[in-house]
Amino acid sequence: MKNFFIISAIVVASFLYFQNEESLKYKFENDFLIGATINQEDYQIVDEDAKAIKIVQKDFNAVTPENSMKWMHIHPEFNEFTFSNADKIVDFAKENEMYLLGHTLVWHNQVPDYIYNIKDKSTFQDHIEKHINTVVKRYQGKVDMWDVVNEALNDDGSLRKTVFLDMLGENYIEQAFSLANNADPNVALAYNDYNLYKPKKRKGAIRIINSLKDKGIRVDAVGIQAHWDLHFPSIKEIEQTIEELAATGVDVMITELDITVIPNPYELAGIAREEFKKFEGDRKWDPYQDGIPDDIQEKLTKRYKDIFELFVKHNDKISRVTFWGINDKYTWRNDNPINNRTDYPLLFDREYKEKPAYEALINLNN
Ligand code: 9MR
């Protein structure tokens, strides 16, 4: 009998402990969903990076496949789909009752080469239809929202020249949303882009959303990617972005948040990817190889605090905030555009430990 009471007490105590466990998803449960990405390439789902997976389970209630659902991975050949990695993430989201974002159906990047060899417009048209139908239908009832079109705009608000624009003309965006809607009328549909704090680009996004709506084509959300740095964009610019996008009537989501702390090679913009090779290992572009200095850590912490205070203030407009990655070890920032750098953009460090920015968010007044 005595043992029974001791065991029951332990069970109740652990239940209470885990209920109160520090966790971003509980912290912001009345504000918005909190997401992270899971990558397929060399870790996490494939190699079962257990530590990263534990973090996702403890702190997050939304997940985005960082690469596995992109065209080149899921539809690598004209007549071939490879679903295995995406399926693993879909199963993971289901087992853990997480919101799942499908990323992404139509994007000019990470498309397989065969796409460029389709010369006939009607074949191209049929093919994009097949792609959207197959992928969306496969994950019907499992994916909560699709990034239907990703990064269709130039910074000046005009449409980016892509293979989709070339082959289908300006209304490829409408076509993509209609096809996604026909494939699954219940899944939410989003337009996703970066640099939306730039007024001209933001206008372009608003134009896309309004024109879809005017034509009676369903669009439910807009994704602000949020690959930002310690200073830009300003809180004021971010606020204006959230307010103006929300005024279109669609949900606003922060879809790819990370804050780089190392120099952004803006001045190198425009040079070819291979040319960045010569900067690899150069301290000028990679100053914190031995660790993040205290003052930079403090700046990062303050930056995250300021940004989340703003998100909480607009919790009536923002329904999800997703980080682009889990910890600093595997962020895309380490390899873009210069390979092998040491960046610190996320809330968990290279040892999977919570950073001061994490604590600042857990202690935020919301
Ligand atoms: O994080 C992704 C990285 O692993 C890929 O190599 C890269 C390829 O372009 O894409 C990264 O994710 C991008 C996302 O899909 C769309 N917005 C920008 C993200 C960072 O580049």
Side-chain angles (χ1 to χ4, degrees), residues 66-67 70 103 107 110 150-151 225 227 256 324 332:
E66 187 170 345
N67 287 296
K70 291 173 180 172
H103 177 80
W107 186 31
Q110 288 176 289
N150 193 39
E151 303 177 5
Q225 288 191 6
H227 296 294
E256 304 186 14
W324 203 248
W332 72 287

Side-chain angles (χ1 to χ4, degrees), residues 154-339:
N154 294 311
D155 274 8
D156 67 1
S158 60
L159 284 186
R160 187 195 286 269
K161 195 172 156 30
T162 66
V163 65
F164 302 104
L165 183 67
D166 278 354
M167 295 302 284
L168 303 174
E170 291 201 1
N171 71 355
Y172 83 89
I173 299 178
E174 293 163 26
Q175 287 188 39
F177 276 83
S178 300
L179 289 168
N181 177 59
N182 294 342
D184 182 357
N186 296 315
V187 73
L189 307 176
Y191 176 72
N192 190 48
D193 214 330
Y194 62 92
N195 280 354
L196 293 179
Y197 69 90
K198 295 188 173 177
K200 285 185 180 161
K201 190 160 191 180
R202 183 161 68 241
K203 268 203 185 125
I206 293 171
R207 190 186 67 233
I208 289 177
I209 294 163
N210 286 339
S211 115
L212 288 167
K213 288 182 146 199
D214 289 347
K215 290 178 179 137
I217 299 168
R218 187 164 63 86
V219 49
D220 303 292
V222 57
I224 299 172
Q225 288 191 6
H227 296 294
W228 296 331
D229 70 21
L230 288 176
H231 309 284
F232 299 102
S234 68
I235 293 296
K236 209 172 146 216
E237 285 171 313
I238 300 172
E239 180 158 44
Q240 209 173 344
T241 309
I242 295 167
E243 284 173 339
E244 284 185 24
L245 290 171
T248 63
V250 299
D251 260 8
V252 173
M253 300 200 175
I254 308 296
T255 52
E256 304 186 14
L257 177 59
D258 55 18
I259 308 290
T260 180
V261 307
I262 57 178
N264 235 320
Y266 288 131
E267 58 194 80
L268 310 177
I271 73 172
R273 171 90 208 182
E274 316 77 72
E275 290 183 54
F276 280 105
K277 264 208 139 340
K278 61 174 176 276
F279 301 106
E280 281 173 29
D282 182 340
R283 288 249 163 191
K284 180 181 170 208
W285 299 107
D286 189 15
Y288 311 136
Q289 294 168 13
D290 307 323
I292 181 169
D294 290 348
D295 61 325
I296 304 295
Q297 186 82 282
E298 275 163 33
K299 281 187 183 148
L300 179 70
T301 305
K302 169 140 188 346
R303 180 75 164 141
Y304 265 121
K305 184 167 176 277
D306 292 347
I307 288 173
F308 267 75
E309 272 168 0
L310 181 76
F311 291 166
V312 167
K313 176 176 169 195
H314 292 287
N315 62 8
D316 58 326
K317 307 175 188 71
I318 299 173
S319 53
R320 174 173 58 97
V321 176
T322 289
F323 289 84
W324 203 248
I326 302 168
N327 73 343
D328 292 341
K329 189 173 177 185
Y330 293 122
T331 162
W332 72 287
R333 293 286 203 173
N334 292 330
D335 297 297
N336 271 281
I338 303 169
N339 278 326

